């Protein structure tokens, strides 16, 4: 009997065509795995479609909770944002999909893993390198990297093999979405001089269509993890969905990024990430309150490294494990509440509190109750300015 293969299956045209193409070209029995991290509206329908197209078995996993708890929240604690703009939604989903693919391959005694990524993206790297880390014995096949079919040809292939092609007018964009964000690329967006048309957006309203009055939202954090909204405890997945809903309605979370891909290409990527934008902002505002200046500055450097590592497909490495341990340690006192104001596409932090706040009123105030020792300042400045005065004296006159 032919060997088995596990294919990461989204239910879309490309991976549907891949089921048939792999079976034909490689004489393998195809098992599909569909992972829902907030991107699959109907798991059962997707399962049925895989079977109909020719999979010998169709596995589905609802991994939303694992995604949020083990991938999204650790990245939030790290303040991981790629190139200061992209909250890494797609990039964070890949290692989880890899883990589940490897698990399925082992359970099913499959020797091959297949995925629908193309040769120009980051995702192929994330999946191939992830599999190499977790299960180096598995072979990888990426049909879309091999078959050299244009979109038209893929559709013709599908029609010839009775694979259902979406009847709705195909989206002019390439889209990837999960609970942490929605990435939109291709089509008119490939010209950087084109403003993203309104039809690129699905999760966020344009400012002219948002409510006329602002909304306020209070987010409770415990050790850097959001645990409640407006004073009520909320489960991780629901919390992200609720923030998403409210922020999207107020037009918060649109990102337009010329991004540096790992494969060397600059690409124009548009994102909608309402929950990520709000939660990252709130989390950082809380850190501003409870971490010292040194802790904040060092952590910001780590955040850049951490984001690069996630983006570049290095989740399953000792380096990430070490950085994650550092990040977790920094979150010991990141407990408290942040109030944000959502209005016309903006998310503003307007209030913050924490039992561990280092902000000390009696030191900061200019009013009554000031305990700052004013008489100590001249002495401090005398010492602080010592090297400046020395240089000015020895090297003649002030430096321009
Ligand atoms: N550029 C992002 C990344 O590499 C997102 C890609 C999203 N994919 C898409 N087809 N829109 O992580």
């Amino acid at each position: 009997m032919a060997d088995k293969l596990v294919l990461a299956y989204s239910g879309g045209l490309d991976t549907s065509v891949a089921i048939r193409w792999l079976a034909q070209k490689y004489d393998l029995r195809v098992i599909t795995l569909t992972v829902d991290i907030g991107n699959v509206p109907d798991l059962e329908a997707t399962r049925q479609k895989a079977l109909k197209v020719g999979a010998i078995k169709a596995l589905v996993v609802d991994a939303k909770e694992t995604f949020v708890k083990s991938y999204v929240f650790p990245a939030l604690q790290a303040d991981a944002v790629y190139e200061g703009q992209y909250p890494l939604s797609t990039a964070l989903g890949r290692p989880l999909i890899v883990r589940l693919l490897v698990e399925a391959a082992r359970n099913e005694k499959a020797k091959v893993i297949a995925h629908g990524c193309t040769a120009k993206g980051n995702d192929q790297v994330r999946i191939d390198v992830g599999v190499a880390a977790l299960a180096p014995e598995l072979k990888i096949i990426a049909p879309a990297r091999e078959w050299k079919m244009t979109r038209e040809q893929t559709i013709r292939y599908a029609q010839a093999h009775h694979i259902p092609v979406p009847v709705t007018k195909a989206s002019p964009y390439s889209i990837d979405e999960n609970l942490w964000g929605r990435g939109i690329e291709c089509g008119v967006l490939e010209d950087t001089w084109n403003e993203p048309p309104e039809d690129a957006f699905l999760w966020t309203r344009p400012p002219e269509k948002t409510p006329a009055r602002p909304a306020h939202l209070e987010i409770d954090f415990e050790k850097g993890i959001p645990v409640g909204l407006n004073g009520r405890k909320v489960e991780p997945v629901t919390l992200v969905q609720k923030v998403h809903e409210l922020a999207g309605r107020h037009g918060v979370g649109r990102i337009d990024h010329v991004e540096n891909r790992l494969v060397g290409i600059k690409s124009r990527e548009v994102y909608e990430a309402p929950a990520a934008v709000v939660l990252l902002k709130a989390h950082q505002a809380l850190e501003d309150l409870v971490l010292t200046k040194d802790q904040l500055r060092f952590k910001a450097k780590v955040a850049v490294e951490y984001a690069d590592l996630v983006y570049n497909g290095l989740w399953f490495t000792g380096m990430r494990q070490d950085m994650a341990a550092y990040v977790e340690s920094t979150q010991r006192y990141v407990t408290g509440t942040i109030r944000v104001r959502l209005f016309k596409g903006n998310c503003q932090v307007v209030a913050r509190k924490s039992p561990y706040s280092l902000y000390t009123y009696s030191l900061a105030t200019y009013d009554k109750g000031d305990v700052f020792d004013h008489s100590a300042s001249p002495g401090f400045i005398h010492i602080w300015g010592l090297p400046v005065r020395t240089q000015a004296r020895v090297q003649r006159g002030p430096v321009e």
Side-chain angles (χ1 to χ4, degrees):
M1 253 223 257
D3 279 340
K4 289 192 264 187
L5 157 154
V6 177
L7 166 70
Y9 183 63
S10 68
L13 178 68
D14 283 349
T15 48
S16 296
V17 164
I19 296 178
R20 194 59 63 85
W21 189 89
L22 284 162
Q24 260 177 3
K25 166 119 200 248
Y26 287 97
D27 185 28
L28 289 162
R29 289 182 291 157
V30 177
I31 297 169
T32 57
L33 172 69
T34 304
V35 180
D36 180 14
I37 49 175
N39 53 321
V40 188
D42 187 342
L43 267 183
E44 183 49 30
T46 310
R47 206 179 78 80
Q48 290 303 333
K49 184 171 177 188
L51 294 172
K52 189 160 164 258
V53 175
I56 60 155
K57 194 170 185 177
L59 307 168
V60 294
V61 185
D62 177 348
K64 294 201 284 289
E65 188 172 336
T66 311
F67 179 51
V68 172
K69 281 188 176 167
S70 305
Y71 296 82
V72 168
F73 283 175
L76 172 64
Q77 289 179 306
D79 301 309
V81 176
Y82 184 63
E83 296 182 334
Q85 302 216 59
Y86 166 41
L88 294 161
S89 41
T90 296
L92 284 165
R94 299 308 173 184
L96 173 54
I97 293 170
V98 165
R99 187 177 279 287
L100 294 168
L101 280 169
V102 166
E103 226 173 81
R106 292 207 168 128
N107 288 341
E108 300 293 337
K109 305 203 170 19
K111 296 193 171 137
V112 182
I113 280 180
H115 59 74
C117 305
T118 64
K120 286 172 81 172
N122 299 308
D123 287 329
Q124 51 166 349
V125 182
R126 295 170 187 148
I127 297 187
D128 291 10
V129 171
V131 172
L134 298 184
E137 72 281 6
L138 292 172
K139 187 176 166 289
I140 296 166
I141 303 179
R145 238 171 9 199
E146 291 179 22
W147 65 32
K148 299 191 178 74
M149 286 192 276
T150 61
R151 185 154 181 88
E152 281 307 309
Q153 290 167 326
T154 317
I155 291 173
R156 252 181 279 133
Y157 184 101
Q159 284 162 343
H161 293 83
H162 309 290
I163 296 165
V165 177
V167 278
T168 51
K169 198 171 135 281
S171 161
Y173 309 107
S174 162
I175 289 164
D176 182 74
E177 61 187 45
N178 63 42
L179 285 164
W180 202 228
R182 178 170 184 267
I184 309 127
E185 56 190 35
C186 301
V188 294
L189 302 174
E190 285 176 354
D191 182 342
T192 57
W193 190 240
N194 283 337
E195 181 172 341
E198 214 32 58
D199 73 354
F201 301 105
L202 188 67
W203 292 0
T204 54
R205 293 191 197 174
E208 59 276 14
K209 296 207 176 125
T210 57
R213 295 167 62 87
H216 285 84
L217 177 67
E218 290 184 4
I219 306 161
D220 299 317
F221 288 88
E222 263 169 35
K223 299 195 172 164
I225 303 284
V227 294
L229 297 175
N230 293 328
R232 290 215 186 122
K233 284 251 172 290
V234 185
E235 289 306 307
V237 173
T238 315
L239 187 143
V240 172
Q241 285 167 334
K242 285 193 161 170
V243 176
H244 164 118
E245 227 302 293
L246 183 66
R249 199 179 323 140
H250 284 271
V252 172
R254 293 188 176 185
I255 297 158
D256 186 348
H257 181 198
V258 172
E259 178 173 302
N260 292 293
R261 283 194 192 165
L262 181 56
V263 294
I265 299 167
K266 270 193 197 295
S267 85
R268 204 271 188 95
E269 309 266 338
V270 172
Y271 298 100
E272 292 181 281
V277 165
V278 171
L279 291 171
L280 281 159
K281 208 158 192 184
H283 179 259
Q284 281 168 27
L286 183 55
E287 289 186 329
D288 286 343
L289 206 57
V290 301
L291 298 181
T292 64
K293 175 176 167 183
D294 290 337
Q295 286 176 308
L296 284 168
R297 303 222 170 166
F298 189 74
K299 186 166 185 291
K301 292 184 201 167
V302 174
V304 172
E305 298 297 325
Y306 191 104
D308 278 352
L309 197 120
V310 172
Y311 189 85
N312 293 337
L314 301 175
W315 184 271
F316 298 110
T317 57
M319 184 69 177
R320 198 212 49 99
Q321 191 177 333
D322 296 342
M323 278 203 258
Y326 163 76
V327 168
E328 202 184 323
S329 170
T330 63
Q331 302 298 291
R332 313 193 284 289
Y333 298 109
V334 186
T335 294
T337 303
I338 298 296
R339 190 190 304 144
V340 296
R341 179 182 186 266
L342 308 167
F343 190 51
K344 297 284 168 205
N346 289 312
C347 167
Q348 260 178 307
V349 171
V350 291
R352 33 191 132 193
K353 65 177 179 185
S354 164
Y356 307 110
S357 174
L358 299 176
Y359 177 89
T360 305
Y361 178 85
S362 56
L363 286 175
T365 186
Y366 283 89
D367 294 341
K368 223 166 39 165
D370 180 9
V371 300
F372 185 82
D373 181 358
H374 292 232
S375 68
S377 280
F380 164 73
I381 296 164
H382 182 77
I383 304 287
W384 173 253
L386 185 57
V388 179
R389 291 197 308 277
T390 305
Q391 184 174 46
R393 179 167 45 79
V394 175
Q395 297 177 355
R396 271 188 239 113
V399 183
E400 279 297 329

